[in-house]
Every structure is written in C-alpha cells, then in structure tokens.
Amino acid sequence: MENRIKQCQLHLFADRTSAATMRANQLRLWFAAMAYVLLCALRRLALKHTQFAHATGGTIRLKLLKIGALVWVSVRRIKIAIASAFPYRNEFAIAHSRLTAAAH
C-alpha cells in the first residue's frame, strides 16, 4: 500500500498542495485521485497481458500517454497520426482496441 501512495505522490503529483486556498488544494487532490483511478482501470482493462500490466503510473504516463503525434481536426472527425518509429505502437493499439471494445 505504501508503494501505491508513493506512486501517487511522485508520478501523479498528489503532493502538490501549494495553492493559496484550501478548495484549490482539495481540487488538486481530487484530480490526482481520479488520475490514479483511471490509471488503475487502464492497467486492469487495457494493458492486461502486455509489458505494462504491472508498470507504475509514471512509466505508463511516460511511455504510452506522452507521445508525439500530428492531430488534424476537421468538421466531422479528428485524425491522429502517431510516428512510425513509436516503440510502443503495438501496446498502444492493443490498449486502444480494448478500451473501444469496453466502451461498447
């Protein structure tokens, strides 16, 4: 349990309570808690049986979520082009397909 708390503090910035008001600090903690819940759900649903199944939140954020891409926005659709040299492209595609299947 202590490792999960440390993971929230280090990788999801749950210890950043330097705002001027108590409400702002509380909102920051709520955002960090929601980010942790979303990362756990992502790990449990979309990243099962991949190399990121037991990865920390920081590793998932750095290697799967912080990627460079070109985004084209038109009236009807949004196109995202990931670089062909993206080393975790297969894991990203697996996670995307599993999340779209879970949404339907």
Side-chain angles (χ1 to χ4, degrees):
M1 189 59 152
E2 289 181 23
N3 290 338
R4 297 297 183 192
I5 293 170
K6 184 171 267 190
Q7 181 181 352
C8 280
Q9 289 174 343
L10 294 177
H11 304 299
L12 301 176
F13 309 108
D15 60 341
R16 301 272 172 100
T17 54
S18 58
T21 63
M22 180 69 171
R23 285 185 181 198
N25 289 331
Q26 185 177 16
L27 185 63
R28 282 182 169 194
L29 286 175
W30 281 348
F31 284 153
M34 282 305 299
Y36 179 74
V37 169
L38 288 174
L39 268 178
C40 285
L42 179 71
R43 192 182 299 123
R44 182 175 35 90
L45 297 173
L47 299 174
K48 189 187 311 183
H49 304 299
T50 65
Q51 66 179 350
F52 298 113
H54 301 288
T56 65
T59 303
I60 293 171
R61 188 174 64 102
L62 181 68
K63 294 185 177 180
L64 281 183
L65 301 178
K66 288 177 76 174
I67 57 174
L70 290 174
V71 179
W72 290 281
V73 179
S74 69
V75 175
R76 295 185 184 192
R77 60 181 62 120
I78 299 172
K79 290 184 180 180
I80 301 173
I82 299 173
S84 61
F86 179 51
Y88 305 107
R89 188 177 194 150
N90 292 334
E91 286 84 359
F92 189 86
I94 290 169
H96 177 263
S97 64
R98 287 181 182 168
L99 287 175
T100 54
H104 293 108

